[in-house]
Amino acid sequence: APARQRQEESGGLTIDNSTAENHCTIYAISESPENPDVVWVGTDDGLLHVTRDAGETWSELSGRVPGLPANTWVSSIHAGPFDEAVAYVTFDGHRSGDMATYVYRTADFGATWEALASDGLEGYARVVKQDPVNPELLFVGTEMGLFVSLDGGGQWARFEENLPQVAVHDLAIH
């Protein structure tokens, strides 16, 4: 999106050297624990790519994600720990006023996507992780807290074990 990178033509008084407003920046990256040649990359202007040959070629996947508005920020990617074809992705549209929860899974290197967000989730999504032992156990951090699914994303419940209703930006799952 070169049009988003023309800050000097925007009429502002000074150019922002922090690059916070340049967009088109890789924001999320995840390497498959099953195959280091498989790498998933997402940007802050809504592009999602995967390589299966260690970066020699890339497939752009953004248009394949159903129900996702164009240019929605890729907030996290989690390469599945059990299968190199699986990835989980969250998208965040709050910067453009979209407060919906976007959580998706692919099991075929991004050819098709399944929406995992349901009534049990609240807030725009920040991060998604799959448990490294139990493949049915998923965690999603949103602006409104931490949520857990025991059935692979079919149903969600708020994690309330002494955790207040706060934004969860990242999760370390070991």
Side-chain angles (χ1 to χ4, degrees):
R4 292 182 177 212
Q5 297 175 334
R6 295 186 198 151
Q7 186 180 13
E8 66 278 0
E9 299 172 16
S10 70
L13 296 175
T14 61
I15 295 176
D16 181 357
N17 289 331
S18 72
T19 70
E21 298 302 323
N22 283 357
H23 303 288
C24 313
T25 303
I26 293 174
Y27 188 77
I29 188 166
S30 185
E31 176 185 295
S32 169
E34 293 294 303
N35 180 352
D37 289 345
V38 176
V39 180
W40 302 84
V41 174
T43 66
D44 62 358
D45 60 342
L47 298 181
L48 179 62
H49 291 82
V50 67
T51 181
R52 296 170 65 181
D53 56 13
E56 291 294 319
T57 59
W58 292 86
S59 298
E60 205 284 311
L61 309 171
S62 307
R64 298 180 183 179
V65 182
L68 181 70
N71 304 314
T72 304
W73 190 306
V74 179
S75 54
S76 76
I77 304 172
H78 176 69
F82 302 99
D83 182 341
E84 67 183 71
V86 172
Y88 296 85
V89 182
T90 58
F91 296 85
D92 173 4
H94 89 275
R95 290 165 188 83
S96 59
D98 183 355
M99 305 306 249
T101 309
Y102 298 110
V103 182
Y104 293 89
R105 172 181 45 220
T106 182
D108 54 12
F109 295 102
T112 60
W113 292 87
E114 174 188 8
L116 300 181
S118 65
D119 292 339
L121 289 173
E122 296 177 54
Y124 50 89
R126 299 272 192 182
V127 62
V128 59
K129 299 284 175 127
Q130 182 181 35
D131 185 79
V133 176
N134 178 354
E136 294 298 307
L137 180 57
L138 301 179
F139 301 90
V140 169
T142 76
E143 190 63 14
M144 304 297 288
L146 178 62
F147 297 85
V148 179
S149 175
L150 301 174
D151 61 0
Q155 296 180 336
W156 295 93
R158 178 181 294 280
F159 182 86
E160 295 181 352
E161 198 66 31
N162 294 323
L163 180 70
Q165 190 171 327
V166 297
V168 176
H169 293 259
D170 201 0
L171 297 167
I173 306 292
H174 302 286

